[in-house]
């Protein structure tokens, strides 16, 4: 049985009106089922592992990716969620037997839906692990029927249902962060379903582009035509600690078509930077768990967009705690526009040695750049500066809760954070008014 609702739920109201506010703690906190707090939930005994959600533009329908199924829930009504339709999509008996023969547990061999994105106004693109042999398909969002056409899902969806991935469709093209092999040790950020002049692109195998990442989410930055990927990975630039985890934001440009000789069919616009959620003189909350975007207030510049993230710590002194930090788009931009670290390929050490700048890493429109410029961006992808939280402080620290998911909304002069502990997701639009 699975419950598409909340285990324990905390609503946090942050009044940004008082600038002297030091790190606040959650104001209102309540578990599921408290009288007077209406939280709708939806239970079906035959549906489980509901991990992927997609809300329609009109906010009437919530599509849920589950184990061997995609559900459409009617969420337009205030009092209850109703099932509008269900599409069953599972591997055959034979597929599952093969999966099990390869040494996988039978319970991990179903089709766990891990990508669910609108492709256009009539169709959803969905991918699932499909018995450790990922596949993708097109689903009519109205009738919830699947096209007979199956795409191979390599690079679009993980093989292993326990590995995290992220995906976004922009202008009908699919951008993903996932591992692209059966063993789960070839992480890649790539573009699929490329249209027109575009070709499918992926990361080069260059040392250090990704270091054992855990992908969290993606965001389309419309004004810059860039896509941000949020993830954590091993921070090799810190060679004083073994396996120090860092949180990252990385970027690519949607206009990228790869290089002509150097970086052919590879990103020419990949760059990454560290996101640091840390209070002065304390250990950082270094492991990003979730992130959500708060668009700027009406009339404010897009640079004021904030990314709110939940962070936990890899050290036991902070176990069970979590922090929320927000990052300004303007700060992320300025870090990407700055200098880049250099990796010495012999010693495998990073330095901030400033070389003559042959190109601007992370800049869009490098497809016609010289080989020399492309070799430079290929080697200079780790921004030298770190992105610090807005206002240089943590938004919130919770000593009792280890949050896993958040949603942020602007309600008049307030910023409201909905924080969730536990695993089930699916409350975005059904949260009580504060
Ligand atoms: C959406 O994409 C699907 C799959 O490619 C296609 O069959 C359908 O015609 C498209 N719909 C529109 C409105 O373009
Ligand atoms: C699916 O759900 C079951 C029951 O909650 C859980 O034990 C299992 O680990 C889940 N599988 C995946 C791949 O998340
Ligand atoms: C690249 O340069 C060639 C000739 O120098 C030009 O024909 C082509 O349109 C350019 N491509 C792009 C994408 O700007």
């Amino acid at each position: 049985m699975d419950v598409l609702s909340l285990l324990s739920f905390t609503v946090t109201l942050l009044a940004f009106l008082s600038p002297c506010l030091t790190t606040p703690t959650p104001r209102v906190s309540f578990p599921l089922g408290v009288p007077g707090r209406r939280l709708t939930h939806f239970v079906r005994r035959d549906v489980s592992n509901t991990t992927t959600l997609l809300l329609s533009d009109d906010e009437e329908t919530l599509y849920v990716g589950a184990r061997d199924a995609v559900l459409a829930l009617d969420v337009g009504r205030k009092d209850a969620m109703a099932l509008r339709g269900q599409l069953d999509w599972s591997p055959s008996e034979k597929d599952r037997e093969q999966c099990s023969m390869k040494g996988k547990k039978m319970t991990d061999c179903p089709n766990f839906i891990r990508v669910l994105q609108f492709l256009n106004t009539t169709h959803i693109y969905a991918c699932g692990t499909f018995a450790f042999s990922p596949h993708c398909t097109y689903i009519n969002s109205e009738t919830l029927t699947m096209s007979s056409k199956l795409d191979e899902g390599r690079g679009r969806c993980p093989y292993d249902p326990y590995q995290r991935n992220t995906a976004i469709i922009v202008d009908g093209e699919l951008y993903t962060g996932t591992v692209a092999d059966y063993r789960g040790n070839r992480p890649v950020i790539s573009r699929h379903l490329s249209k027109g002049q575009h070709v499918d692109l992926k990361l080069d195998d260059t040392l250090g582009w990704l270091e054992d990442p855990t992908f969290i989410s993606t965001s389309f930055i419309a004004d810059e035509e860039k896509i941000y990927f949020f993830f954590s990975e091993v921070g090799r630039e810190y060679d004083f600690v073994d396996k120090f985890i860092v949180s990252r934001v990385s970027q690519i440009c949607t206009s990228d078509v790869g290089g002509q000789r150097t970086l052919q069919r590879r990103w020419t616009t990949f760059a990454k930077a560290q996101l640091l959620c840390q209070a002065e003189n304390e250990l950082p909350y270094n492991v990003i768990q979730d992130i959500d975007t708060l668009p700027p207030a009406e009339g404010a510049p897009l640079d004021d967009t904030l990314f709110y993230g939940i962070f936990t710590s890899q050290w036991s002194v902070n176990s069970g705690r979590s922090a929320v930090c927000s990052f300004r788009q303007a700060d992320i931009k300025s870090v990407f526009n700055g200098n880049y670290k250099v990796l010495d390929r012999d010693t495998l050490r990073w330095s901030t040695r400033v070389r003559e700048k042959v190109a601007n890493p992370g800049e869009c429109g490098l497809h016609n750049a010289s080989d020399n410029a492309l070799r430079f961006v290929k080697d200079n992808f780790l921004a030298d500066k770190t992105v610090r939280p807005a206002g240089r402080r943590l938004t919130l620290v919770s000593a009792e809760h280890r949050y896993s998911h958040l949603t942020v909304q602007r309600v008049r002069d307030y910023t409201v954070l909905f924080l969730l502990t536990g695993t089930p997701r699916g409350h975005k639009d059904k949260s009580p008014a504060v």
Side-chain angles (χ1 to χ4, degrees):
M1 187 185 76
D2 203 38
V3 183
L4 182 65
S5 64
L6 324 176
L7 287 182
S8 142
F9 182 57
T10 304
V11 178
T12 305
L13 183 59
L14 294 171
F16 284 140
L17 299 175
S18 59
C20 58
L21 209 67
T22 51
T23 318
T25 47
R27 297 302 159 84
V28 194
S29 185
F30 53 88
L32 183 67
V34 174
R37 296 280 179 187
R38 201 173 54 206
L39 281 173
T40 45
H41 43 120
F42 176 85
V43 183
R44 260 180 86 92
R45 282 172 196 284
D46 57 340
V47 173
S48 57
N49 303 95
T50 53
T51 46
T52 316
L53 299 177
L54 177 68
L55 185 63
S56 64
D57 281 341
D58 61 9
E59 305 199 347
E60 295 280 324
T61 310
L62 181 67
Y63 297 91
V64 181
R67 187 178 75 197
D68 290 332
V70 175
L71 313 183
L73 302 180
D74 189 350
V75 292
R77 303 212 316 256
K78 272 212 169 63
D79 47 343
M81 288 190 225
L83 183 68
R84 226 196 60 201
Q86 174 168 345
L87 165 72
D88 294 314
W89 181 25
S90 48
S92 67
E93 186 79 23
K94 197 167 143 245
D95 293 332
R96 277 181 288 132
E97 268 167 23
Q98 274 177 2
C99 171
S100 150
M101 261 153 52
K102 282 189 242 164
K104 299 299 174 187
K105 279 198 292 200
M106 209 52 176
T107 50
D108 295 338
C109 289
N111 186 25
F112 296 90
I113 310 295
R114 299 297 293 278
V115 172
L116 209 52
Q117 287 282 310
F118 285 107
L119 181 69
N120 57 28
T121 51
T122 57
H123 284 73
I124 289 172
Y125 195 68
C127 305
T129 58
F130 214 84
F132 278 79
S133 168
H135 278 81
C136 301
T137 189
Y138 303 79
I139 298 172
N140 182 310
S141 51
E142 202 51 49
T143 60
L144 222 62
T145 48
M146 199 167 93
S147 97
S148 53
K149 185 173 156 219
L150 279 189
D151 289 344
E152 214 232 307
R154 182 190 185 84
R156 307 176 191 203
C157 174
Y159 289 66
D160 182 332
Y162 294 98
Q163 247 148 8
R164 289 189 70 164
N165 65 301
T166 180
I168 190 171
I169 288 185
V170 175
D171 290 338
E173 299 180 310
L174 174 70
Y175 297 83
T176 59
T178 185
V179 287
D181 66 330
Y182 181 79
R183 293 195 168 170
N185 46 24
R186 287 202 37 221
V188 67
I189 284 175
S190 48
R191 180 172 67 206
H192 307 265
L193 311 175
S194 303
K195 298 199 295 202
Q197 302 286 308
H198 286 184
V199 288
D200 284 357
L201 293 177
K202 59 181 181 180
L203 279 188
D204 195 59
D205 293 326
T206 298
L207 209 57
W209 277 28
L210 292 171
E211 299 278 6
D212 198 10
T214 300
F215 293 106
I216 300 298
S217 92
T218 45
S219 188
F220 175 51
I221 312 300
D223 60 322
E224 291 204 289
E225 298 189 330
K226 286 182 176 180
I227 292 177
Y228 286 174
F229 288 83
F230 297 94
F231 58 94
S232 61
E233 66 171 354
V234 177
R236 297 244 187 261
E237 69 270 34
Y238 296 93
D239 50 12
F240 55 87
V241 203
D242 195 33
K243 291 246 169 175
F244 178 46
I245 308 290
V246 295
S247 293
R248 302 268 196 222
V249 54
S250 77
Q251 65 128 60
I252 50 96
C253 298
T254 54
S255 62
D256 204 334
V257 292
Q260 286 174 349
R261 281 175 303 268
T262 305
L263 291 177
Q264 244 182 38
R265 296 188 171 259
R266 302 289 186 269
W267 299 113
T268 61
T269 55
F270 175 79
K272 66 182 183 182
Q274 185 182 356
L275 289 175
L276 188 60
C277 182
Q278 180 177 32
E280 214 136 322
N281 303 324
E282 282 180 32
L283 282 172
Y285 288 90
N286 56 329
V287 189
I288 187 169
Q289 301 293 340
D290 194 19
I291 198 146
D292 194 26
T293 308
L294 182 69
E298 233 181 285
L302 283 168
D303 266 5
D304 285 353
T305 301
L306 288 169
F307 300 95
Y308 277 82
I310 298 174
F311 294 79
T312 55
S313 162
Q314 92 182 80
W315 295 284
S316 54
V317 288
N318 278 334
S319 74
R321 295 170 144 247
S322 45
V324 174
C325 276
S326 67
F327 300 91
R328 282 183 69 223
Q329 188 180 318
D331 293 338
I332 296 177
K333 267 188 181 173
S334 100
V335 166
F336 281 137
N337 286 335
N339 285 328
Y340 282 74
K341 292 187 200 297
V342 188
L343 178 65
D344 182 322
R345 297 197 176 275
D346 298 326
T347 63
L348 296 184
R349 300 234 162 178
W350 288 91
S351 68
T352 55
R353 167 171 55 98
V354 183
R355 274 200 292 179
E356 190 202 341
K357 231 178 172 180
V358 185
N360 293 317
E363 186 182 47
C364 299
L366 284 181
H367 25 263
N368 263 350
S370 67
D371 285 338
N372 196 26
L374 289 177
R375 274 195 300 269
F376 184 83
V377 301
K378 182 173 161 172
D379 280 343
N380 292 258
F381 52 83
L382 177 57
D384 191 25
K385 284 220 167 69
T386 293
V387 186
R388 304 261 172 184
R392 297 244 156 189
R393 59 183 177 77
L394 313 191
T395 305
L396 172 157
V397 175
S398 171
E400 315 85 271
H401 296 292
R402 196 183 159 94
Y403 296 122
S404 55
H405 298 98
L406 95 169
T407 290
V408 57
Q409 275 171 13
R410 192 184 294 286
V411 181
R412 286 186 295 277
D413 293 329
Y414 297 96
T415 300
V416 182
L417 291 176
F418 299 94
L419 295 162
L420 173 63
T421 57
T423 38
R425 312 173 68 157
H427 58 290
K428 243 180 181 151
D429 52 329
K430 294 272 107 185
S431 310
V434 190

